[in-house]
Amino acid sequence: MSRLTKNDDVCISCHRCEAICAWVHDIVFNPRRGRVIVDLDYPDEHNIRICIQCGRCADACPMEAIYEDYTIVTTGERGIFILDEDKCTGCGKCIEACPTEVLQYYPDRKMPRKCDFCQGQPMCVKYCPTNAIGWVLG
């Protein structure tokens, strides 16, 4: 059972996790397009928002565009929830259902961004200089 972890206390808000995520998925270095979000509330307070793969987005999707893939098993022996872009209509129900508010809407693609744990090799973890984001293998 693998999962992402976060430690807000050591985050330096460099936004590398967001930038590398955008690069891996969209081939653009734009932190605003990452599937990881780092909020800077105050100069010394950071809040990392990550997908916890809870499946609420899949439950909310009327088009069944988000499905569970068991290639990588996560906490609770669940799979990773993957967005099938061909089925997505961009209705936003998954975004409304996301408890961590990490699902964001792509205006240019008319659909949300959905974390897929980089298929078990999360780049946000690999490139985080302070280990604020971790990958626990189960």
Side-chain angles (χ1 to χ4, degrees):
M1 297 185 303
S2 304
R3 64 186 171 95
L4 283 176
T5 61
K6 65 176 190 151
N7 183 347
D8 296 318
D9 294 335
V10 298
C11 178
I12 59 173
S13 195
C14 66
H15 301 282
R16 283 186 196 172
C17 56
E18 296 166 314
I20 196 65
C21 179
W23 178 255
V24 167
H25 291 92
D26 298 320
I27 311 174
V28 61
F29 273 117
N30 181 347
R32 292 184 180 159
R33 293 193 58 137
R35 286 133 180 92
V36 175
I37 299 172
V38 178
D39 296 319
L40 179 60
D41 296 327
Y42 297 100
D44 295 330
E45 289 187 31
H46 306 87
N47 180 32
I48 304 168
R49 289 190 277 151
I50 57 175
C51 181
I52 57 174
Q53 300 292 341
C54 66
R56 290 183 190 166
C57 55
D59 294 340
C61 181
M63 302 306 294
E64 297 182 359
I66 300 175
Y67 64 95
E68 196 167 5
D69 178 352
Y70 289 95
T71 304
I72 299 170
V73 179
T74 64
T75 305
E77 297 191 16
R78 296 192 71 164
I80 295 173
F81 289 90
I82 305 288
L83 174 67
D84 182 340
E85 295 182 3
D86 293 331
K87 290 183 179 179
C88 182
T89 62
C91 71
K93 298 288 184 189
C94 59
I95 294 170
E96 293 171 13
C98 182
T100 59
E101 298 179 353
V102 74
L103 279 175
Q104 301 291 313
Y105 189 73
Y106 272 124
D108 58 331
R109 293 175 67 191
K110 298 181 176 49
M111 66 181 60
R113 297 184 299 259
K114 173 74 182 83
C115 177
D116 61 3
F117 284 178
C118 295
Q119 299 300 311
Q121 302 292 323
M123 294 294 112
C124 57
V125 173
K126 182 176 180 178
Y127 288 94
C128 179
T130 63
N131 296 319
I133 300 177
W135 180 244
V136 176
L137 297 173

